[in-house]
Amino acid sequence: MEKNYMKLEFLSKSSNESFARVVVAAFASQLDPTLEELSDIKTAVSEAVTNAIIHGYEYGEGIITLEAKIIDNEIEILVEDKGMGIADIKQAMEPFYTSKPNLERSGMGFTVMETFMDSLEIESKKGEGTKVRMRKKFNSLTSKE
Amino acid sequence: MYISVEKHKDNLLIQFKGELDHHSSEIVRQKIDQQYLDHGLKNIILDLRGLTFMDSSGIGLIMGRYKNCLEKKGKMSIVNDNPHVDKILKMSGLLKIINVYPTIESAIENI
Ligand SMILES: Nc1ncnc2c1ncn2[C@@H]1O[C@H](COP(=O)(O)OP(=O)(O)OP(=O)(O)O)[C@@H](O)[C@H]1O
Ligand SMILES: [Mg+2]
């Protein structure tokens, strides 16, 4: 069984959105992903990190934790903030629901994560923060070694 | 992110290069709105072929500009051939209200 793990902490600045995407893409590259698989996980990570910045910390300063685990041909990604949390997760996950329509958010972030990854789990507590866990299997790698 | 904003009669043509996310969308929004409103233009054409990345912030940006277009009784068209961008556009439902063309010429002709 092939295993690997990484953890990274960074400030909730929008310039770190691309940083987080690139880190996960580089880490995932050992699984030999296709271009489409790679762009799918970059997009999902971007959504989760952007949410932590805009909603979790509401543009204030905080720490975002990014973890990634590889087990065989599957990657598990965790994005965590210690921000305001989500009161109603079910509502938050509805396509087109946004609590910030005046900021031109489309409310598609969680829908994108769900569609582009194999699974999405959200754990959140009001006033304590949010954990977003996503998994995706890469079909390109046949674990034959 | 690099964008070029050009006037073509009463159309505003915007060509994107690079990654469109929350970070880059703020400045892009300002640049587009300033040109569109200052020059009293009608239609907006977004050439997304140069994008190497787009997430839901791009959807929000397009929706917002589309609303401005409607207010001015103008139309919006998209130029795209990028499968990743197409996947996000499809998911957002934007393709039901905005036409996509393979070239700028065909977008301008049909607007
Ligand atoms: N990390 C978080 N902390 C607190 N609230 C969150 C967090 N992530 C999401 N939410 C809540 O869930 C809602 C839906 O999130 P989603 O990403 O689907 O849409 P959005 O961020 O509002 O818009 P978009 O992602 O399209 O720009 C948000 O509007 C917000 O209220
Ligand atoms: Mg979001």
Side-chain angles (χ1 to χ4, degrees), chain A residues 51 55-56 81 85-86 92 97-99 105-110 130, chain B residues 56:
Chain A
N51 278 354
H55 306 295
D81 69 68
I86 305 173
Y97 170 80
T98 178
S99 54
R105 308 314 308 173
S106 64
M108 288 299 293
F110 281 133
T130 301
Chain B
S56 69

Side-chain angles (χ1 to χ4, degrees), chain B residues 6-13 39-43 108:
Chain B
E6 257 173 69
K7 281 175 289 169
H8 272 262
K9 296 183 194 153
D10 53 3
N11 305 322
L12 189 67
L13 168 67
H39 295 101
L41 300 171
K42 218 175 137 196
N43 307 313
I108 290 180

Side-chain angles (χ1 to χ4, degrees), chain B residues 51-105:
Chain B
L51 283 182
T52 51
F53 178 85
M54 183 173 110
D55 62 17
S56 69
S57 297
I59 299 299
L61 178 89
I62 296 172
M63 279 180 172
R65 311 293 71 65
Y66 178 76
K67 280 181 196 154
N68 291 348
C69 251
L70 283 187
E71 260 171 45
K72 303 276 175 223
K73 304 224 175 340
K75 277 188 169 175
M76 176 176 273
S77 293
I78 289 176
V79 181
N80 184 44
D81 59 2
N82 175 330
H84 167 70
V85 171
D86 190 56
K87 202 169 167 179
I88 295 252
L89 288 176
K90 275 209 182 91
M91 192 180 305
S92 71
L94 281 175
L95 298 187
K96 290 184 198 128
I97 46 174
I98 303 172
N99 287 331
V100 179
Y101 300 93
T103 62
I104 294 172
E105 292 71 31

Side-chain angles (χ1 to χ4, degrees), chain A residues 10-14 52-64 81 83:
Chain A
F10 54 89
L11 268 184
S12 55
K13 290 171 99 94
S14 66
I53 295 169
I54 299 179
H55 306 295
Y57 293 118
E58 294 199 286
Y59 295 102
E61 201 167 276
I63 295 286
I64 297 171
D81 69 68

Side-chain angles (χ1 to χ4, degrees), chain A residues 14-15 17-18 21 36 39-40 42-43 46-47 50 54 59 96 104-106 108-109 111-112 115-116, chain B residues 19 21-23 25-26 29 33 53-57 59-61 63-65 84 87-88 91-93:
Chain A
S14 66
S15 55
E17 290 157 5
S18 62
R21 295 198 290 271
E36 187 181 6
S39 108
D40 285 355
K42 279 170 86 174
T43 312
S46 195
E47 297 295 349
T50 302
I54 299 179
Y59 295 102
F96 303 109
E104 291 194 352
R105 308 314 308 173
S106 64
M108 288 299 293
T111 307
V112 167
T115 312
F116 284 16
Chain B
E19 307 201 318
D21 62 5
H22 162 241
H23 180 70
S25 67
E26 303 287 336
R29 177 186 349 256
D33 287 356
F53 178 85
M54 183 173 110
D55 62 17
S56 69
S57 297
I59 299 299
L61 178 89
M63 279 180 172
R65 311 293 71 65
H84 167 70
K87 202 169 167 179
I88 295 252
M91 192 180 305
S92 71

